[in-house]
Amino acid sequence: MDTKLNYINGQWVPAASGKTAETRNPATGEVLALTADSSAEDTKTAIAAAKKSFYETREWRDTDGEARSDKLLEIAALMERDKELLANLDTLDNGKPLREAEGDVSDAIHCFKYYAGIITAPSGHSYEVNGGFGPMHSYTIAEPIGVVGQITPWNYPLLMSVWKLAPALAAGNSIVFKPSSNCPLSTHRLFEIFDEAGIPAGAVNLVLGSGGAVGHTIAASNDVDMVTFTGSTKVGQSIMADAVGNLKKIGLELGGKSPNIIFEDCDLDGAVEWAMVGTFFNQGQVCSACARIYVQDTIHEAFAQKLAAKAAAMTVGNGLDNPDIGPLVSEAQMNKVLGYIEKGKAEGATLLTGGYRLTDGEYAKGFFVKPTVFDNCTQGMTVIREEIFGPVACIVPFHTEEEAIAMANDTEYGLAGTVCTKDIGKAIRVMKEIRAGILWINCCQPTFNQAPWGGYKMSGIGRELSVHGLEEYQETKQVNIALDPGPIGWYVNG
Ligand code: NAP
């Protein structure tokens, strides 16, 4: 069987121990490939390669912005050529419907093109200053941070990788990258593309393996200047603790438990459809899912019935067949979601539809959960407080705007939120009250390379995408030039 190797210093190499792990298709349970199961030592070798590339050979770092931009466009073109393969890899490895994987690949290609564009745009600021020192010209320049470690989750395997790799490469950093061991295949293919495009040796390094070995070593290494992580809040906290040794810069894109507030004056059918997207897209395995649904009491019954009917009608199946919803990513994730469903039932939520694993026929070997809708949830319930990360909608009725805002903000997370109403004044008022980094009004989930992505509170630190996403991977240097290089008359007695 095909074994996927690490990419270190421009070479494809196995784990030094020779150990491998399996990656499986969650629709069928079949093993798709073996992957290097790397250790802390393998990771240190990759970090050393990145360090040498940034601080000694400097080839990528010293490549000028225009040439770096050209290289990113070349990568985008190679991804375009491999579009079908990349989408198929994500569907096989992750389970998502093929059309969603194709959408991810298109977004990923545009992300490279976007950063190819903005890296050549004017940047920095300049000021004419004095400050009592005589006339000076002060300006800023952006420089790469150095060795950047990047760690990603499994829910958008290719896209989450590209959101990190494209801006970090555009900025001129050297990278050590660890994808989720659940779904590493599309990122592995992307590194084959980097190799084909001729990114200089050591500038991009891929280490396959577990978070405990590879991820922890990256986060704790004093030779890594920055670590960026997308994943659970719990692991994000351990990354932050690991990073303290050299006070490395950190970027954290973490979990969420986002609200969707639906007022009586909304377009009801539109609100139902966006709530479907906000709950069931990607099998509900979306950090910004808005599956905590607050519905005004006057339309609550009608909304709940419509949502439940639509959820019950969803097709479930192998992602390659393009159903509405595919399997969850792994047995462990499925069991976690089923555990939350049982808690919802036990704590008194009303189960309107779903609530169980599908096991007959084609479902027998996969990890399929029937789309689930709970009604009459309350703030204290586990399904309202914790991130489920599965196809489970939880409806809570509310009476007043103030009550809805208070319940929406009653969470340790702050990634996203949705407001549905035709009253634009109310929409903006409520949007401003929600303590979260991404807000949708009369829509839910659209994401753009041009707009910053990230959370408040325990949903993270920093922003990805947009110009902010580039700046996260840059240091800002202040440069001051005295316009008159002569003496200024200080220390006349010195
Ligand atoms: P996870 O368990 O936190 O894992 C994320 C990554 O961290 C994986 O590559 C994992 O490796 C690695 N890891 C595990 N333990 C580690 C450690 N001690 N040190 C360093 N790295 C470690 O999250 P997940 O289950 O893959 O993804 C789901 C979570 O991601 C959800 O909470 C979701 O909300 C969040 N997410 C957030 C965003 C956002 O933009 N805010 C986007 C997508 C997902 P292995 O699993 O390979 O061992």
Side-chain angles (χ1 to χ4, degrees):
M1 175 167 287
D2 194 13
T3 300
K4 304 298 178 193
L5 304 179
N6 292 331
Y7 185 67
I8 298 178
N9 205 24
Q11 303 293 321
W12 294 101
V13 291
S17 67
K19 283 190 186 164
T20 56
E22 294 171 345
T23 182
R24 287 177 183 269
N25 181 341
T28 62
E30 74 179 306
V31 177
L32 293 166
L34 299 177
T35 57
D37 187 8
S38 309
S39 64
E41 287 316 308
D42 297 310
T43 314
K44 285 176 188 165
T45 305
I47 293 170
K51 188 175 173 188
K52 188 169 175 215
S53 131
F54 190 81
Y55 291 102
E56 292 178 36
T57 52
R58 299 175 56 124
E59 206 181 332
W60 183 246
R61 169 184 176 178
D62 289 345
T63 301
D64 65 62
E66 274 182 25
R68 260 186 271 142
S69 170
D70 286 347
K71 201 49 94 179
L72 297 198
L73 290 175
E74 199 179 325
I75 291 166
L78 292 170
M79 289 174 76
E80 188 79 45
R81 180 199 66 191
D82 288 357
K83 218 170 165 174
E84 210 176 312
L85 171 64
L86 288 164
N88 270 279
L89 286 175
D90 265 0
T91 289
L92 288 169
D93 215 4
N94 169 280
K96 63 176 67 198
L98 189 59
R99 66 175 181 288
E100 292 186 16
E102 286 165 352
D104 291 355
V105 177
S106 290
D107 284 355
I109 292 169
H110 279 118
C111 191
F112 270 106
K113 289 181 182 170
Y114 174 77
Y115 283 108
I118 62 169
I119 197 62
T120 59
S123 73
H125 301 277
S126 67
Y127 322 88
E128 297 305 324
V129 289
N130 187 305
F133 303 102
M136 296 209 177
H137 179 69
S138 179
Y139 69 101
T140 61
I141 55 171
E143 296 186 334
I145 285 177
V147 176
V148 173
Q150 303 187 315
I151 304 167
T152 50
W154 45 257
N155 63 334
Y156 287 91
L158 181 70
L159 197 57
M160 291 299 99
S161 298
V162 169
W163 282 15
K164 293 192 175 349
L165 285 160
L169 273 174
N173 295 286
S174 290
I175 296 164
V176 178
F177 195 93
K178 186 206 115 50
S180 163
S181 51
N182 260 322
C183 302
L185 297 183
S186 56
T187 301
H188 185 274
R189 178 70 199 142
L190 180 62
F191 273 72
E192 288 177 341
I193 286 175
F194 291 163
D195 188 34
E196 186 178 348
I199 300 282
V204 281
N205 302 277
L206 175 73
V207 190
L208 303 173
S210 72
V214 180
H216 165 69
T217 305
I218 291 172
S221 170
N222 286 350
D223 287 331
V224 172
D225 301 302
M226 176 183 193
V227 60
T228 63
F229 168 80
T230 300
S232 62
T233 295
K234 191 160 171 267
V235 175
Q237 288 172 314
S238 82
I239 300 269
M240 198 166 182
D242 281 344
V244 79
N246 64 339
L247 287 182
K248 62 174 63 64
K249 188 174 176 187
I250 54 175
L252 300 176
E253 296 289 343
L254 308 178
K257 187 72 192 174
S258 301
N260 179 354
I261 304 179
I262 299 175
F263 288 99
E264 60 187 354
D265 57 359
C266 70
D267 178 318
L268 185 59
D269 288 332
V272 169
E273 202 164 316
W274 284 115
M276 293 286 292
V277 176
T279 302
F280 299 117
F281 197 73
N282 209 38
Q283 294 66 244
Q285 301 165 139
V286 181
C287 52
S288 57
C290 293
R292 194 161 53 99
I293 308 174
Y294 297 98
V295 187
Q296 200 150 25
D297 44 14
T298 43
I299 58 161
H300 159 239
E301 194 61 34
F303 176 90
Q305 292 309 321
K306 279 178 182 264
L307 187 74
K310 269 188 166 293
M314 289 181 94
T315 55
V316 184
N318 188 320
L320 290 176
D321 299 330
N322 260 326
D324 290 326
I325 193 167
L328 297 189
V329 74
S330 64
E331 189 167 16
Q333 184 61 20
M334 177 190 68
N335 287 336
K336 194 170 150 198
V337 170
L338 291 172
Y340 278 118
I341 291 173
E342 289 312 310
K343 276 203 174 132
K345 292 179 193 166
E347 291 176 6
T350 310
L351 181 65
L352 295 184
T353 185
Y356 55 91
R357 177 184 183 181
L358 293 160
T359 49
D360 289 347
E362 60 161 321
Y363 301 125
K365 290 187 179 153
F367 311 126
F368 298 93
V369 173
K370 183 83 178 150
T372 299
V373 179
F374 279 122
D375 195 8
N376 300 314
C377 299
T378 56
Q379 282 303 106
M381 288 181 183
T382 309
V383 291
I384 290 295
R385 306 222 66 82
E386 296 183 18
E387 184 181 42
I388 299 175
F389 226 57
V392 183
C394 300
I395 302 173
V396 183
F398 73 89
H399 188 55
T400 66
E401 182 179 319
E402 293 70 28
E403 195 191 342
I405 292 168
M407 289 196 289
N409 282 332
D410 176 23
T411 170
E412 64 192 15
Y413 295 111
L415 187 56
T418 297
V419 186
C420 295
T421 169
K422 287 187 194 152
D423 177 343
I424 188 67
K426 181 161 46 179
I428 291 174
R429 197 165 63 233
V430 175
M431 173 276 291
K432 287 179 90 167
E433 288 302 318
I434 304 298
R435 301 290 299 159
I438 305 146
L439 258 291
W440 290 287
I441 296 174
N442 294 323
C443 60
C444 189
Q445 301 305 321
T447 304
F448 309 100
N449 289 313
Q450 298 85 341
W453 181 270
Y456 290 13
K457 297 170 23 182
M458 289 183 80
S459 288
I461 296 174
R463 292 292 178 271
E464 292 198 307
L465 300 181
S466 79
V467 70
H468 299 279
L470 177 66
E471 286 168 359
E472 295 279 341
Y473 290 105
Q474 293 174 322
E475 297 281 16
T476 299
K477 182 174 279 177
Q478 173 196 138
V479 185
N480 302 300
I481 308 172
L483 297 186
D484 176 358
I488 57 170
W490 279 23
Y491 302 119
V492 286
N493 299 321

